[in-house]
Amino acid sequence: MKIKNRFATLLAITALFTGLSVSAQDKKISAAELPAAAQNFIKQHFKDQTVTAAKMDKEMFDIDYETVLSNGTEIEFDEKGNWKEIDGNHNALPVSVIPTAINNYISSNYKGQGVVQIDKKHAGYDIELSNGTELEFDTNGKFLRIDD
């Protein structure tokens, strides 16, 4: 009897995860289908770049947008078009996308290093510099630590 119950539980869990994975959808979209805030962000900070690929990643509880620009930069946006992650793929990001306090810290302590990736988290920012150094900052841009 215990084996039947365990099997039934395992079957139910498998069905649940299969259902959840089926509900996630990736859909290719045009740049014009991105949220207005995302379109404006790209126009403001990446003037010389065009969107070469975009997709909408629809999960059960949220929607994300992923874009690739003509220089290889990848930007992930939330449902409202706010950026979540920017990856320059080893190219320095425009200073205009880096919070001022973080930019000031990097300019003072890592002269000549550009930010090649920035992730916005609930507790702050994760930054990767062009030399591979990874730094963590709080939401106010205060340096916390070097990330190992």
Side-chain angles (χ1 to χ4, degrees), residues 99-117:
T100 303
I102 294 173
N103 190 49
N104 290 342
Y105 179 86
I106 292 169
S107 295
S108 296
N109 296 283
Y110 294 92
K111 291 189 187 321
Q113 295 300 312
V115 174
V116 296
Q117 183 172 348

Side-chain angles (χ1 to χ4, degrees), residues 25-36 38-39 42 50-58 63-68 75-79 81:
Q25 298 175 352
D26 286 346
K27 177 184 173 189
K28 289 183 181 181
I29 60 172
S30 70
E33 294 174 279
L34 291 168
Q39 292 179 47
I42 293 168
T50 58
V51 175
T52 59
K55 74 176 183 176
M56 178 178 63
D57 183 16
K58 192 172 187 180
I63 297 174
D64 289 330
Y65 296 90
E66 297 174 15
T67 60
V68 179
I75 309 172
E76 184 177 343
F77 298 97
D78 66 15
E79 185 172 359

Side-chain angles (χ1 to χ4, degrees), residues 54-135:
K55 74 176 183 176
M56 178 178 63
D57 183 16
K58 192 172 187 180
E59 297 288 332
M60 183 174 257
F61 298 109
D62 66 346
I63 297 174
D64 289 330
Y65 296 90
E66 297 174 15
T67 60
V68 179
L69 305 183
S70 52
N71 70 349
T73 297
E74 298 176 25
I75 309 172
E76 184 177 343
F77 298 97
D78 66 15
E79 185 172 359
K80 295 178 182 176
N82 301 308
W83 71 269
K84 295 170 57 174
E85 180 179 333
I86 308 171
D87 185 350
N89 284 311
H90 306 290
N91 295 312
L93 301 176
V95 173
S96 61
V97 303
I98 312 301
T100 303
I102 294 173
N103 190 49
N104 290 342
Y105 179 86
I106 292 169
S107 295
S108 296
N109 296 283
Y110 294 92
K111 291 189 187 321
Q113 295 300 312
V115 174
V116 296
Q117 183 172 348
I118 182 169
D119 297 339
K120 193 184 309 182
K121 308 286 185 186
H122 292 295
Y125 299 89
D126 291 341
I127 303 286
E128 182 179 340
L129 301 179
S130 51
N131 67 0
T133 302
E134 295 181 10
L135 308 172

